[in-house]
Amino acid sequence: SMLTYSEPHSHGFFPPGNVLSPFNRDEKTNVYAPPDPNVHEFELERTIVPKGESYIPKTSDYGCVILVLSGSAKAKCSDEDFEFRRGKTFFQAAGSQIEIEASATDDLMYFRTTTKGAISP
């Protein structure tokens, strides 16, 4: 299934969008999922890891794209070490586990998207 978009009939008129209300996956992660049961292409998580804290996000049954918006952290996935920092993008393979340790100076904020329902609530 593909995402679709219809342009408004009147030029210059943009109807207001629906703002999604998140639910908390845990104390660090909010999930934004389209409420329409026919839209199953994606869900979006926003995670904030306070400075100096560690976090292990739940694994996904499908691959995920991770976008780091602010802060920095040391991360480990499948015995590979790497760094989360502002502006970086990562792919997380299905079933892989990431361990994150935020820097001592900044909170880390990142978004992760995957197929709707691929991560257990």
Side-chain angles (χ1 to χ4, degrees), residues 5-21:
Y5 173 76
S6 297
E7 188 170 329
H9 298 294
S10 172
H11 292 287
F13 172 75
F14 295 98
N18 293 331
V19 177
L20 300 176
S21 296

Side-chain angles (χ1 to χ4, degrees), residues 70-74 83-86 101-103 105-108:
S70 64
S72 63
K74 293 179 183 176
E83 184 182 356
F84 274 17
R85 68 177 186 273
R86 182 175 183 249
E101 185 179 331
S103 74
T105 57
D106 297 307
D107 292 349
L108 172 72

Side-chain angles (χ1 to χ4, degrees), residues 14-105:
F14 295 98
N18 293 331
V19 177
L20 300 176
S21 296
F23 70 86
N24 293 337
R25 185 174 308 286
D26 56 41
E27 72 281 353
K28 293 180 174 63
T29 300
N30 289 328
V31 179
Y32 301 85
D36 184 337
N38 295 314
V39 178
H40 59 322
E41 288 96 348
F42 71 95
E43 67 182 22
L44 181 68
E45 297 178 328
R46 184 193 69 188
T47 300
I48 298 174
V49 183
K51 59 185 172 185
E53 291 190 20
S54 297
Y55 181 64
I56 299 174
K58 293 187 177 216
T59 59
S60 173
D61 294 336
Y62 291 86
C64 302
V65 175
I66 298 171
L67 308 167
V68 182
L69 267 62
S70 64
S72 63
K74 293 179 183 176
K76 184 175 187 170
C77 184
S78 303
D79 295 326
E80 184 178 339
D81 294 327
F82 52 98
E83 184 182 356
F84 274 17
R85 68 177 186 273
R86 182 175 183 249
K88 292 294 237 176
T89 304
F90 298 93
F91 178 77
Q92 179 183 3
S96 64
Q97 184 67 68
I98 295 179
E99 300 171 28
I100 300 167
E101 185 179 331
S103 74
T105 57

